[in-house]
Amino acid sequence: MPTVIKVRPNGSLLVESDDAVVVDWNGNAYPLAKRPFSLCRCGASSRKPFCDGMHKQIGFCAEEAAPPAATPDGQ
Ligand code: FES
């Protein structure tokens, strides 16, 4: 099953995977307390790179949805 990263409206990036790992710039893995887990995209978390819910308190706004999937005939 592929890893799914779900962009939450006005919130985090929810990583739905049984085997995804998050590593720092040295390749060291962050411990994961649970799955699925959420990555911060607002920049305000005190637990970066993970979300701690601070996006709600700062009023983070980002609701860009992906474009609709193209149909087989390209429409
Ligand atoms: S997205 Fe949740 S704290 Fe940044």
Side-chain angles (χ1 to χ4, degrees):
M1 194 149 148
T3 296
V4 174
I5 301 175
K6 190 176 294 181
V7 179
R8 290 176 153 167
N10 304 319
S12 63
L13 302 171
L14 178 66
V15 180
E16 299 175 323
S17 169
D18 292 334
D19 57 6
V21 294
V22 181
V23 299
D24 68 11
W25 54 93
N26 292 313
N28 297 317
Y30 291 91
L32 295 172
K34 62 182 176 102
R35 291 181 187 271
F37 58 91
S38 290
L39 297 172
C40 176
R41 70 175 174 130
C42 76
S45 175
S46 62
R47 293 181 47 242
K48 293 183 195 86
F50 302 100
C51 171
D52 68 356
M54 185 58 81
H55 60 268
K56 295 175 192 156
Q57 293 182 40
I58 67 169
F60 179 65
C61 294
E63 295 185 272
E64 302 82 6
T71 59
D73 62 357
Q75 300 296 311

